[in-house]
Amino acid sequence: MASKNKKYSLFNKLLYFINSIAATILLFSYFLAYISPKTVPVFSIVSLAVPLLIITNLLFLIYWLLKLKKHAIISGLILLIGWIFFPPFLKFSEKNTARNNDVKVMSYNVRMFNVYKWIKQDSVDQKIFRFIKEKDPEILAIQEYYNAKKNKINYPYSYIVTKSKKKKFGLAIYSKFKIINKGSLNFKQSANNAIFIDIVKEKDTIRVYNLHLQSLKINPHKENFGQKNSEKLIARLKNGFIKQASQVETFLAHEKKWKGKKVICGDFNNTAFSWVYRQISKNKKDAFEEAGIGFGKSFNYFFPMRIDFILTDKKTQIHNFKTYTPKYSDHFPIMSRINFE
């Protein structure tokens, strides 16, 4: 009996040691939202893993509580800090109201409509078109757009920017409201970009941004984590985070000049716990935080990652937010009902 108790005690000591490491890394990751990736880019890699760290600490918390151990304090305290001071990882209640003059805004990274057959299904592009038609958003922001003649997205107004005439991929914004101004930020040395349109709704002029920040190109099915490949992966991620930081600075300088109502849609390629998100979301409402429920998972990964966002200015009312789960891309579409009055 003593031997069993000793083994059990050693197991708990080892578990608590691992718990302490996971809790410390999570606490450290909270501070990364205040540090530009340009300062120490390798640390920004941790911000991507915050959702996984939260889940890990939550499991430790539950384990120690079931065992009636005071060891639960360390994870419990750090999770509480995150709950109070940072965007919610999990929402338990949703807002679901509607007004006749609400505007449905959808953001969707369509992964080039599966032109390269990543998804082994027939007619994925047609399924995406049907899905969009069924949900019928008044404003539709698409990332990783692919400009092909068979695209069947019919809106009275649109703005499409591809990387070049030969490279047919880029960004698109479709609108049921008249577009009176438009432009592209043309990120340097990147296949990613940000575009905007100004639309007129009754007496309001509203700016709509569509952002696609630097892709990190993480694919868990293709990565080989040997030493040499891991070094290449880390170098690639560091470079990606530095580019993201520069792109955010470019966007914020442009956005600062607009004083009216606005909506920011996009794939930020980073989580709500990152410096990138914190900078862009300042003085704005996050549609998921205001009206969503659950994890808000928008990227099809093995743990919940919310990297696609719909943000508005503080005065705009957000009445509803949904994440849809058709597997036509590596991202899930998100849509919100918002009101500008």
Side-chain angles (χ1 to χ4, degrees):
M1 182 65 73
S3 178
K4 283 186 178 180
N5 286 337
K6 190 174 181 181
K7 285 181 179 178
Y8 180 73
S9 176
L10 285 171
F11 173 75
N12 273 349
K13 284 180 180 178
L14 177 61
L15 207 60
Y16 186 61
F17 175 71
I18 297 169
N19 184 178
S20 301
I21 293 172
T24 303
I25 295 172
L26 178 58
L27 181 62
F28 167 73
S29 71
Y30 290 156
F31 293 100
L32 294 177
Y34 300 90
I35 303 170
S36 169
K38 288 184 175 181
T39 307
V40 191
V42 71
F43 285 167
S44 297
I45 297 170
V46 182
S47 67
L48 285 178
V50 170
L52 184 59
L53 288 167
I54 290 174
I55 292 171
T56 302
N57 278 276
L58 186 58
L59 292 174
F60 277 123
L61 174 64
I62 294 168
Y63 177 81
W64 296 126
L65 287 174
L66 290 174
K67 297 293 180 183
L68 300 176
K69 297 283 188 181
K70 62 181 181 181
H71 299 47
I73 293 172
I74 184 170
S75 283
L77 183 60
I78 290 171
L79 288 169
L80 181 63
I81 291 169
W83 184 267
I84 294 171
F85 295 106
F86 292 88
F89 174 60
L90 175 64
K91 288 282 302 305
F92 292 101
S93 61
E94 65 180 329
K95 185 178 179 182
N96 195 1
T97 57
R99 290 173 59 182
N100 290 334
N101 56 347
D102 283 349
V103 176
K104 291 191 291 184
V105 178
M106 178 181 285
S107 183
Y108 195 177
N109 182 322
V110 299
R111 206 184 189 191
M112 293 191 278
F113 302 110
N114 201 43
V115 69
Y116 293 112
K117 307 297 180 185
W118 293 292
I119 298 171
K120 305 303 179 184
Q121 293 183 32
D122 293 331
S123 306
V124 169
D125 56 344
Q126 302 304 313
K127 291 174 183 176
I128 292 173
F129 302 146
R130 284 196 294 270
F131 172 82
I132 291 169
K133 187 176 181 180
E134 177 191 337
K135 300 306 174 188
D136 194 30
E138 280 88 7
I139 297 170
L140 170 64
I142 294 179
Q143 303 88 41
E144 293 195 38
Y145 179 87
Y146 187 80
N147 202 4
K149 290 181 180 178
K150 61 179 181 178
N151 285 359
K152 294 180 180 178
I153 302 176
N154 298 313
Y155 276 69
Y157 308 99
S158 63
Y159 180 48
I160 298 166
V161 178
T162 56
K163 199 60 188 173
S164 66
K165 288 183 178 180
K166 289 184 179 180
K167 296 178 180 178
K168 296 182 179 181
F169 62 88
L171 293 168
I173 308 176
Y174 290 89
S175 172
K176 293 187 178 182
F177 305 103
K178 186 177 180 180
I179 296 174
I180 59 170
N181 187 31
K182 56 192 176 183
S184 173
L185 276 63
N186 298 322
F187 292 153
K188 295 178 181 178
Q189 297 179 329
S190 176
N192 297 67
N193 197 11
I195 62 173
F196 71 92
I197 60 171
D198 294 338
I199 60 171
V200 176
K201 183 184 183 295
E202 297 172 359
K203 294 181 181 179
D204 287 326
T205 301
I206 301 151
R207 173 154 292 182
V208 181
Y209 281 101
N210 185 6
L211 273 67
H212 187 202
L213 298 182
Q214 186 65 33
S215 300
L216 301 175
K217 299 176 183 176
I218 298 174
N219 189 330
H221 304 295
K222 290 186 178 180
E223 300 294 355
N224 182 339
F225 292 99
Q227 182 178 350
K228 192 172 181 180
N229 286 322
S230 294
E231 288 173 0
K232 286 182 179 179
L233 173 63
I234 291 170
R236 189 175 77 226
L237 290 174
K238 284 168 60 178
N239 184 56
F241 286 124
I242 292 169
K243 283 190 175 183
Q244 282 186 1
S246 294
Q247 291 165 0
V248 168
E249 290 166 358
T250 300
F251 165 73
L252 292 176
H254 190 278
E255 182 209 18
K256 190 176 180 180
K257 298 173 185 176
W258 178 258
K259 305 301 181 184
K261 297 174 182 179
K262 59 192 168 188
V263 181
I264 296 95
C265 301
D267 169 10
F268 293 3
N269 272 308
N270 221 318
T271 70
F273 304 96
S274 64
W275 178 89
V276 163
Y277 172 85
R278 186 171 181 274
Q279 295 301 310
I280 296 174
S281 65
K282 277 182 183 176
N283 300 314
K284 299 183 186 74
K285 290 180 178 179
D286 182 321
F288 169 75
E289 287 187 40
E290 295 288 319
I293 193 170
F295 293 105
K297 178 178 178 177
S298 69
F299 185 60
N300 192 10
Y301 209 55
F302 70 93
F303 60 85
M305 288 188 74
R306 184 168 76 96
I307 63 174
D308 299 85
F309 302 92
I310 296 174
L311 309 174
T312 72
D313 57 87
K314 283 287 188 180
K315 293 181 180 179
T316 296
Q317 297 299 309
I318 296 171
H319 289 159
N320 178 267
F321 178 89
K322 289 190 181 299
T323 302
Y324 298 95
T325 55
K327 293 183 179 179
Y328 306 147
S329 168
D330 53 349
H331 290 251
F332 300 124
I334 57 176
M335 187 163 77
S336 182
R337 292 179 68 100
I338 62 181
N339 198 290
F340 296 103
E341 292 189 357

